[in-house]
Amino acid sequence: RNEAGLRDEDGWPSDWVEIVNTGAEPVDLTGWTLTDNPERPRKWEFPAASLPPGERRIVFASGKDRRDPDGEWHTSFQLAAEGEPLALVMPDGETVISEHPAAPQFDDISYGIDGVSGESGYLDSVTPGEANGRLHYPGPVITEVSHAPETVVSGDDIVVTARVTGRGSSEIGKVTLLSRAEFKAESAAIMRDDGTGDDAEAGDGIYTATIPGRTLF
């Protein structure tokens, strides 16, 4: 998510996508498309323009839908903060030449291809118009944290759930819940997403652990 960086011609900090011609010949972009919906591969079409070898071009994902070959390019869609797929599609409307997964977006952090390894993920720097930086490996995203029951009385077990999502190609290893009651020693419990115990469904990204009531009072 672009907040403090590149501005478009209207002065907006619109999110942006950068394409680069890594080949030795110019690429005619006529008929090429960008999409955030696999069911609509021709969602936004590039203008009739050529991209010389080694050249880069910024496309703002602003929803403004501008395709002047000599001006700024703006897609007809915006990128969702929670993440959505993004694909560059050839003129046949079927061949995906580059694709990124539905990775959550974070303020002023670029997601793209490592300029050295070729792997996709979050990058250590934001470099519009220049070669991409190296991959950065931040921790997972933890959201939708809740517990039941909402009001706890003496002796109640507390079931804690949280959605845990890896960033980029990072996989979730072990998720641990730490708890402490008053001045007692800290307790650790493994949070599971395997459908066992109090976990509702295996593999849904919601991790669950139970704090036994006897450890709290």
Side-chain angles (χ1 to χ4, degrees):
R1 290 172 57 85
N2 181 21
E3 292 292 338
L6 191 65
R7 293 293 195 271
D8 65 19
E9 59 192 353
D10 300 322
W12 292 16
S14 299
D15 293 341
W16 50 270
V17 178
E18 186 174 52
I19 62 170
V20 57
N21 180 1
T22 59
E25 300 293 334
V27 173
D28 181 2
L29 293 175
T30 303
W32 287 70
T33 56
L34 279 173
T35 185
D36 62 348
N37 184 348
E39 301 299 319
R40 296 180 57 194
R42 303 194 58 78
K43 190 167 183 179
W44 182 81
E45 186 172 335
F46 283 87
S50 178
L51 189 65
E55 291 292 314
R56 300 172 180 274
R57 184 68 193 244
I58 297 291
V59 182
F60 288 100
S62 65
K64 298 177 182 179
D65 194 13
R66 298 177 183 173
R67 288 175 282 187
D68 179 356
D70 299 318
E72 284 188 349
W73 298 350
H74 292 252
T75 64
S76 56
F77 58 85
Q78 295 177 299
L79 299 178
E82 63 272 18
E84 57 185 343
L86 181 67
L88 175 63
V89 185
M90 294 183 68
D92 62 9
E94 297 179 356
T95 305
V96 176
I97 199 70
S98 180
E99 185 174 23
H100 292 293
Q105 303 298 307
F106 302 93
D107 290 353
D108 299 314
I109 296 179
S110 283
Y111 186 96
I113 300 174
D114 185 307
V116 177
S117 71
E119 296 182 64
S120 294
Y122 296 94
L123 305 175
D124 61 5
S125 56
V126 182
T127 58
E130 301 176 1
N132 287 352
R134 302 299 306 273
L135 287 185
H136 176 59
Y137 296 96
V141 181
I142 302 174
T143 57
E144 302 177 32
V145 179
S146 65
H147 64 81
E150 292 188 6
T151 302
V152 181
V153 298
S154 178
D156 280 349
D157 290 347
I158 303 175
V159 179
V160 179
T161 60
R163 181 177 295 280
V164 184
T165 308
R167 302 193 194 188
S169 59
S170 301
E171 296 183 357
I172 302 299
K174 182 173 69 173
V175 180
T176 303
L177 173 68
L178 301 178
S179 61
R180 183 196 301 273
E182 297 180 336
F183 299 103
K184 295 180 181 179
E186 190 174 77
S187 298
I190 301 299
M191 301 191 76
R192 303 186 181 280
D193 184 23
D194 57 6
T196 63
D198 290 308
D199 185 56
E201 182 178 346
D204 63 351
I206 302 294
Y207 287 74
T208 306
T210 301
I211 303 173
R214 65 179 181 276
T215 67
L216 298 178
F217 302 97

